[in-house]
Amino acid sequence: MASKLHLETALTPDGWRHDLVATIEHGIIARLEPADATNDAVRASGVVLPGLPNLHSHAFQRAMAGLTEHRGSGGEADSFWSWRELMYRFVARLSPDDLEAIAAFAYMEMLEAGFTWVAEFHYLHHQPDGRPYDNIAEMSERIVAAADTSGIGLTLLPVLYRHSGFLGKPTSDAQRRFLNDRDSYARLMETRVPGGNIGIAPHSLRAVTLNDLEWAARTFQGKPAHIHISEQTREVEDCLAAHRKRPVDLLFDTIPVDERWCLVHATHADQNEIARIAQAKAVVGLCPITEANLGDGLFDVPALLAAGGRFGIGSDSLVRISAADELRTLEYGQRLIRRQRNVLAVARRSTGRLLLDGALKGGAQAVDRPIGAIAVGQRADFVVLQDDGYRDDAVLDHWLFTADNAAIKTVYRGGIPVVQQGRHRDRDAIVARYRKSLVGINIAT
Ligand code: NGQ
Ligand code: ZN
């Protein structure tokens, strides 16, 4: 069934446009025409933007947000690695019902924050003792169900995880819920994702051997492919010790990296590695809030952009869910280290516009869906900001640098409103289920 939406102000690939009518069929924009006086379309009043792709999420981590912001008792500095110990302890408690409730809550928050599509980098596959559930794809199906409950679009990325370090280092008990072999992985890759798609996710060069990486890339060729890479200096050091190459170089020397690939973090890629990523047209999956929270370091975004490279954003650990905050943090990191302003903007274009355009394009590429632009053939996934009188790109800068999520009024998925007045349509039920899970998990201990 076709529906019509009158877009008062919209950001299109041709720039800002006023009074357009979108005809929507099966969730896709079938026509986009100037409104005439007699049109009977429902008005989307406000400033209409394409919904943002969230290219990296670990949904279960939403329930531990805020629980790791204290120092351990030992003398050592807290770090990514000590955070990971706490995360492993937390993950041991989660049941399939918990995962589904937490993921539905996180996806609801994503929609309220302007994300209309999520790539879920999913590695919590098995029971706490490491045995598979009767249905090996139980947990994957819970992610699919949660996406469906919330109404967000989903790219499911089942994770291939086999080792705890380079050269096939044996895993620890804490990692047993994540592990698979080639056969069980191939079964996870058959999970059905109605309305969405599936891609591969070798967890990292630490967690798979070069043989397995090569196998996965070849067997599932043509699908989106995501990997964590070079997030920590220790990973770079271990990689050099094991293979005499830096991680991004090792990846490129092992498999053909192309525009299907999303390199998550790539924080410590050097200039030469950044040039290789840009040339391959792969997307760098930046997760600025999590990278700040975990003390990862800063990726050299200006170098990537200067080389014509591509980036998208992800909310990763979900310590905070906000597209505006991700983009603002991305720019602020560069301002702080360079002692300059508007580092990622180009002459006479606003910083907000450059950040948004980049994240829409890179994110859509990383999930390989027709999203991220208001144009014929694209999904009618829209974020509507309230009209506060700002004009053109100043609307974006006001959203990203000032108003944050409070600027978001309505969010459409396939032309249907799932968020109105900033509130998800099923907020109460989703929150109730999430709270019940939190009590069961007993986050107080
Ligand atoms: C993850 N998170 O898989 O959740 C990882 C931590 C690891 C981030 N890298 C585990 N931010 O990389 O070993
Ligand atoms: Zn991650």
Side-chain angles (χ1 to χ4, degrees):
M1 246 242 331
S3 63
K4 286 185 179 194
L5 263 183
H6 178 156
L7 315 181
E8 287 184 349
T9 300
L11 182 60
T12 76
D14 303 324
W16 291 100
R17 290 290 177 271
H18 300 281
D19 295 312
L20 294 174
V21 170
T23 304
I24 299 156
E25 289 173 10
H26 307 291
I28 304 283
I29 304 173
R31 285 199 301 281
L32 198 58
E33 301 155 318
D36 60 40
T38 60
N39 90 82
D40 54 355
V42 180
R43 285 180 94 82
S45 42
V47 179
V48 186
L49 310 174
L52 272 140
N54 186 347
L55 57 62
H56 194 67
S57 157
H58 305 291
F60 75 84
Q61 291 178 13
R62 178 62 185 86
M64 57 178 277
L67 294 179
T68 62
E69 310 302 325
H70 53 85
R71 286 197 67 152
S73 49
E76 271 183 43
D78 264 36
S79 68
F80 172 89
W81 306 103
S82 56
W83 167 84
R84 195 175 76 158
E85 288 304 316
L86 297 176
M87 186 269 278
Y88 283 174
R89 254 187 263 162
F90 184 78
V91 84
R93 306 181 190 185
L94 303 177
S95 70
D97 283 346
D98 294 329
L99 178 67
E100 186 176 336
I102 298 165
F105 180 77
Y107 297 161
M108 170 195 78
E109 287 192 321
M110 286 179 197
L111 285 159
E112 291 179 344
F115 291 117
T116 48
W117 201 278
V118 62
E120 177 67 25
F121 200 103
H122 167 61
Y123 60 88
L124 180 51
H125 300 309
H126 307 305
Q127 301 183 52
D129 64 5
R131 281 180 305 132
Y133 289 99
D134 291 344
N135 167 9
I136 194 165
E138 174 77 38
M139 295 299 239
S140 296
E141 290 175 13
R142 296 306 189 114
I143 293 290
V144 173
D148 185 58
T149 300
S150 72
I152 204 165
L154 176 68
T155 296
L156 179 69
L157 302 168
V159 170
L160 179 62
Y161 201 115
R162 305 197 66 178
H163 306 286
S164 81
F166 289 94
L167 304 175
K169 188 172 169 201
T171 49
S172 66
D173 281 356
Q175 294 165 327
R176 61 193 168 191
R177 298 193 77 173
F178 318 154
L179 307 181
N180 29 39
D181 57 25
R182 292 184 185 185
D183 284 348
S184 62
Y185 188 67
R187 280 161 70 194
L188 292 180
M189 285 297 293
E190 283 164 19
T191 310
R192 288 189 54 248
V193 189
N197 61 343
I198 200 161
I200 61 165
H203 180 276
S204 54
L205 294 171
R206 293 175 272 121
V208 299
T209 60
L210 302 184
N211 267 338
D212 284 325
L213 175 65
E214 201 276 328
W215 168 80
R218 180 168 29 84
T219 307
F220 303 101
Q221 208 178 356
K223 298 202 183 304
H226 293 218
I227 188 168
H228 290 125
I229 197 154
S230 220
E231 181 182 6
Q232 286 286 318
T233 49
R234 194 212 278 181
E235 177 178 310
V236 180
E237 287 155 18
D238 290 355
C239 190
L240 282 165
H243 295 284
R244 298 176 185 277
K245 287 176 186 172
R246 301 175 65 83
V248 174
D249 281 334
L250 180 62
L251 181 76
F252 274 77
D253 292 347
T254 306
I255 50 158
V257 177
D258 58 16
E259 62 273 10
R260 300 269 169 202
W261 280 86
C262 175
L263 277 52
V264 182
H265 308 300
T267 313
H268 300 288
D270 70 12
Q271 297 304 309
N272 186 50
E273 290 175 301
I274 289 175
R276 291 182 89 173
I277 300 170
Q279 213 189 0
K281 301 186 166 60
V283 174
V284 178
L286 299 168
C287 307
I289 297 174
T290 298
E291 288 153 8
N293 184 266
L294 297 181
D296 289 343
L298 275 181
F299 176 76
D300 191 346
V301 194
L304 180 78
L305 297 181
R310 304 166 184 196
F311 75 90
I313 50 160
S315 35
D316 192 359
S317 69
L318 313 187
V319 64
R320 171 163 163 69
I321 296 179
S322 162
D325 197 352
E326 296 294 354
L327 293 172
R328 182 170 70 243
T329 303
L330 183 59
E331 165 71 18
Y332 279 178
Q334 301 298 327
R335 290 189 190 191
L336 286 164
I337 197 151
R338 282 159 208 269
R339 289 176 282 164
Q340 293 171 5
R341 300 191 71 249
N342 297 311
V343 178
L344 300 178
V346 292
R348 287 184 294 281
R349 285 281 291 285
S350 98
T351 302
R353 179 67 182 276
L354 190 123
L355 290 167
L356 185 71
D357 280 353
L360 288 169
K361 252 189 140 151
Q365 178 181 321
V367 300
D368 190 26
R369 293 287 92 183
I371 58 173
I374 299 177
V376 171
Q378 295 276 310
R379 284 194 54 91
D381 295 353
F382 304 137
V383 172
V384 187
L385 305 182
Q386 79 196 23
D387 189 345
D388 284 331
Y390 296 89
R391 281 293 148 253
D392 302 337
D393 291 350
V395 174
L396 307 178
D397 296 327
H398 184 256
W399 171 35
L400 301 185
F401 290 97
T402 305
D404 207 305
N405 292 343
I408 297 172
K409 207 171 102 177
T410 317
V411 177
Y412 291 88
R413 274 267 304 147
I416 295 164
V418 291
V419 171
Q420 282 174 308
Q421 302 306 330
R423 230 182 118 80
H424 189 280
R425 61 183 178 195
D426 294 324
R427 183 167 243 285
D428 291 344
I430 291 171
V431 169
R433 227 168 118 200
Y434 174 65
R435 293 241 166 92
K436 217 173 119 212
S437 261
L438 287 188
V439 172
I441 302 163
N442 199 359
I443 54 165
T445 59

